[in-house]
């Protein structure tokens, strides 16, 4: 019996057998055309695990006359790369070398740079794969010389299609009839998280751990696959690219007042145990996206965050959900972040000039001799605690940074300031 994992035994040898990735592998799609042309260029495959990156690289290797080498950057060294490069000057490398470098994000800059010279002269054709965003982890000189293809997470239907193919292989290998209930296949497709390799491993465990019945049938039902497969593994890494994708979707959903989507992404973060990121992002959102449209939001959210940090998870999910629902259903205004960013932009890009002398610190002996505080009008000595005077430096005295948002609260603030300025 073949002892290789099922995922390896059913690995496609033709592009038509690859499940999913129709956006790049479908008929007349770009990667399909490149592979069938036989003229292979440097490529980077980017996407979650179990989506076909290694499979497609193997198919490409079989369609070229180049010598094929495979390294995994997790455990490969610079010496391993040098050994591959050395073959370019031998008979084995006379037609060029195709190097498949898996998990390239684990190579440091020096290791990646060592490939450049040989990528440039065409002696090495590089196909690298990564589960992380290549724009964050791959050396820019390699990016500029490569075509990037994103492998997307498989949908449930794609995973089930792959499972059925695996089931056909197993049926050919063993003497017993194998019957997998539809609800069992559906469950494996659902909890796989788009990872076909994970789903196939679960199917194999379920089948080989289940004894045949009196009729010689191995029947796999929902209870068996639930017992044989792990729970759903989320595509989330606190230090990886998906971390920022989930947080971005979380904030944008709250900003868009979609309370259900907001709770969905909160659930992802809660399930990953990423309590600190949730708390920091909620505090930011309270000022960045709600701001003065509902000034009390940040106070309430701060209390929710403090409660969550004190409780920890899983109980902390409850005050966090309270904060999320509050923010998602609150009126929105970005006037606060726009105001401070305009002020910072002037500070960085303009000659702003000096602070007016009359509002400089004058609480020390000799300040008056320097002209500090002379002519300052103390607002509390005037009607309504307001008096018109210049506070900004001369060079930017007409600058306007705060533009009130279009909401009831900020309209009240705006009307109050206007009423002061209209006073004679």
């Amino acid at each position: 019996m073949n002892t290789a994992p099922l995922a390896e035994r059913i690995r496609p040898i033709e592009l038509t057998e690859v499940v999913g990735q129709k956006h790049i592998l479908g008929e007349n799609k770009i990667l399909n055309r490149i592979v069938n042309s036989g003229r292979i260029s440097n490529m980077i495959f980017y996407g979650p695990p179990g989506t076909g990156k290694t499979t497609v690289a193997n198919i490409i290797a079989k369609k070229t006359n180049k010598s094929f080498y495979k390294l995994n950057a997790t455990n490969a060294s610079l010496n391993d790369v040098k050994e591959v490069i050395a073959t370019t000057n031998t008979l084995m490398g006379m037609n060029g070398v195709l190097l498949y470098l898996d998990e390239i994000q684990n190579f440091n800059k020096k290791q990646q740079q060592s490939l450049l010279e040989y990528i440039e002269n065409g002696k090495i054709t590089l196909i690298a794969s990564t589960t992380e965003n290549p724009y964050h982890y791959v050396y820019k000189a390699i990016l500029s010389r490569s075509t990037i293809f994103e492998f997307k997470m498989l949908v449930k239907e794609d995973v089930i299609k792959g499972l059925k193919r695996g089931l056909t292989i197993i049926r050919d290998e063993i003497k017993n009839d194998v019957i997998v209930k539809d609800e069992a296949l559906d469950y494996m497709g659902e909890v796989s998280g788009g990872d076909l390799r994970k789903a196939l491993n679960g199917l194999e465990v379920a089948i080989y751990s289940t004894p045949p019945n009196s009729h010689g049938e191995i029947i796999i039902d929902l209870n068996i696959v639930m017992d044989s497969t792990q729970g759903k593994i989320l595509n989330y890494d606190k230090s990886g690219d998906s971390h920022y994708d989930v947080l971005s979707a979380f904030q944008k959903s709250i900003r868009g007042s979609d309370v259900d989507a907001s709770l969905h992404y909160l659930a992802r973060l809660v399930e990953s145990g990423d309590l600190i990121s949730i708390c920091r992002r909620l505090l930011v959102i309270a000022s960045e996206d709600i701001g003065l449209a509902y000034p009390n939001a940040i106070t309430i959210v701060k209390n929710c965050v403090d409660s969550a940090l004190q409780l920890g998870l899983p109980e902390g999910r409850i005050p966090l959900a309270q904060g999320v629902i509050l923010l998602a259903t609150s009126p929105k205004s970005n006037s606060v972040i726009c105001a401070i960013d305009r002020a910072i932009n002037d500070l960085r890009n303009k000659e702003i000039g000096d602070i007016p002398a009359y509002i400089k610190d004058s609480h020390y002996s000799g300040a008056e001799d320097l002209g500090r505080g002379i002519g300052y009008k103390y607002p509390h000595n005037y009607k309504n605690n307001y008096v018109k005077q210049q506070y900004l430096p001369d060079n930017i005295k007409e600058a306007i940074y705060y533009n009130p948002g279009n909401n009831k609260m900020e309209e009240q603030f705006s009307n109050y300031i206007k009423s002061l300025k209209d006073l004679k």
Side-chain angles (χ1 to χ4, degrees):
M1 179 182 291
N2 192 335
T3 58
L6 180 59
E8 190 63 36
R9 302 204 303 275
I10 74 161
R11 192 180 291 281
I13 58 175
E14 297 291 340
L15 288 182
T16 54
E17 298 173 342
V18 178
V19 296
Q21 314 312 329
K22 297 303 180 187
H23 63 294
I24 53 176
L25 295 177
E27 188 176 358
N28 292 323
K29 297 299 183 181
I30 180 64
L31 187 52
N32 184 306
R33 298 201 308 271
I34 290 174
V35 174
N36 288 324
S37 74
R39 296 182 63 85
I40 309 302
S41 58
N42 301 310
M43 294 182 272
I44 296 176
F45 295 167
Y46 154 51
T51 53
K53 299 187 297 297
T54 301
T55 293
V56 173
N58 285 338
I59 293 172
I60 291 174
K62 289 181 174 64
K63 289 185 175 291
T64 176
N65 291 323
K66 298 177 186 294
S67 297
F68 180 65
Y69 295 88
K70 180 179 178 181
L71 296 176
N72 189 305
T74 303
N75 49 36
S77 67
L78 193 55
N79 286 334
D80 296 315
V81 174
K82 289 179 178 178
E83 287 179 10
V84 173
I85 292 172
T87 66
T88 61
N89 296 319
T90 67
L91 285 174
M92 290 182 62
M94 62 183 299
N95 292 322
V97 169
L98 178 63
L99 171 62
Y100 176 56
L101 184 57
D102 197 14
E103 304 293 347
I104 189 175
Q105 75 274 8
N106 290 308
F107 261 14
N108 60 36
K109 184 176 179 179
K110 183 178 180 180
Q111 289 171 309
Q112 292 186 35
Q113 283 178 319
S114 67
L115 299 168
L116 275 179
E117 176 185 347
Y118 299 91
I119 291 176
E120 289 269 283
N121 61 29
K123 288 188 175 181
I124 283 183
T125 300
L126 175 69
I127 299 180
S129 71
T130 175
T131 56
E132 302 293 348
N133 191 325
Y135 293 101
H136 296 165
Y137 291 91
V138 179
Y139 185 45
K140 287 182 173 55
I142 290 180
L143 286 179
S144 69
R145 292 162 176 80
S146 307
T147 304
I148 299 173
F149 295 98
E150 182 176 2
F151 282 61
K152 296 182 179 179
M153 183 182 295
L154 300 179
V155 298
K156 182 173 71 173
E157 290 72 22
D158 291 332
V159 175
I160 291 175
K161 183 178 178 181
L163 286 170
K164 288 180 177 179
R165 187 164 179 266
L167 187 56
T168 299
I169 298 293
I170 290 180
R171 283 172 175 155
D172 290 341
E173 292 176 346
I174 63 178
K175 296 178 180 180
N176 303 94
D177 187 21
V178 181
I179 300 170
V180 180
K181 301 289 187 180
D182 287 344
E183 61 268 24
L185 281 173
D186 190 77
Y187 176 81
M188 285 188 284
E190 190 72 52
V191 302
S192 68
D195 186 337
L196 180 56
R197 186 186 301 110
K198 176 178 181 289
L200 289 167
N201 289 342
L203 177 65
E204 194 169 22
V205 169
I207 291 173
Y208 287 113
S209 64
T210 302
N213 61 19
S214 57
H215 302 290
E217 301 169 326
I218 296 176
I219 299 177
I220 307 299
D221 59 19
L222 180 59
N223 288 331
I224 291 174
V225 297
M226 289 179 71
D227 192 40
S228 302
T229 58
Q230 297 175 326
K232 190 169 185 178
I233 298 177
L234 298 174
N235 180 33
Y236 186 85
D237 178 355
K238 291 182 185 179
S239 61
D241 186 47
S242 60
H243 167 79
Y244 300 102
D245 287 342
V246 175
L247 285 173
S248 176
F250 180 52
Q251 180 164 1
K252 287 170 182 171
S253 297
I254 294 175
R255 181 185 296 152
S257 300
D258 189 327
V259 66
D260 297 310
S262 303
L263 287 167
H264 167 78
Y265 292 112
L266 172 65
R268 289 198 187 197
L269 293 163
V270 167
E271 283 293 283
S272 72
D274 197 358
L275 180 58
I276 298 300
S277 290
I278 301 171
C279 294
R280 292 183 70 249
R281 191 56 63 111
L282 286 177
L283 291 171
V284 167
I285 294 169
S287 289
E288 180 179 347
D289 295 304
I290 285 75
L292 294 173
Y294 182 26
N296 283 338
I298 191 167
T299 303
I300 299 171
V301 168
K302 178 63 166 61
N303 286 330
C304 290
V305 164
D306 287 347
S307 296
L309 290 172
Q310 187 170 355
L311 289 167
L313 294 173
E315 290 85 354
R317 76 191 189 284
I318 304 169
L320 291 175
Q322 180 180 342
V324 166
I325 294 171
L326 173 80
L327 293 176
T329 56
S330 292
K332 305 298 188 294
S333 173
N334 70 340
S335 63
V336 171
I337 185 174
C338 289
I340 186 58
D341 284 353
R342 288 188 191 105
I344 290 173
N345 184 66
D346 272 5
L347 194 64
R348 291 174 177 173
N349 298 292
K350 292 183 178 180
E351 181 59 45
I352 58 174
D354 198 10
I355 299 170
Y358 51 85
I359 60 171
K360 288 185 176 180
D361 180 26
S362 59
H363 295 87
Y364 57 90
S365 177
E368 188 173 346
D369 295 337
L370 295 174
R372 305 296 194 260
I374 298 174
Y376 172 60
K377 299 173 183 177
Y378 187 56
H380 296 297
N381 289 338
Y382 295 83
K383 184 179 180 181
N384 295 310
N385 304 300
Y386 174 79
V387 61
K388 186 176 181 179
Q389 65 184 326
Q390 180 185 327
Y391 294 96
L392 282 168
D394 286 340
N395 292 358
I396 55 170
K397 65 181 180 181
E398 303 298 333
I400 296 176
Y401 299 124
Y402 173 61
N403 291 318
N406 185 22
N407 58 78
K408 187 178 294 185
M409 186 65 71
E410 288 188 88
E411 285 175 1
Q412 291 178 10
F413 297 156
S414 179
N415 289 336
Y416 169 69
I417 295 298
K418 186 175 182 298
S419 69
L420 291 178
K421 292 182 178 180
D422 286 344
L423 290 175
K424 301 297 183 182

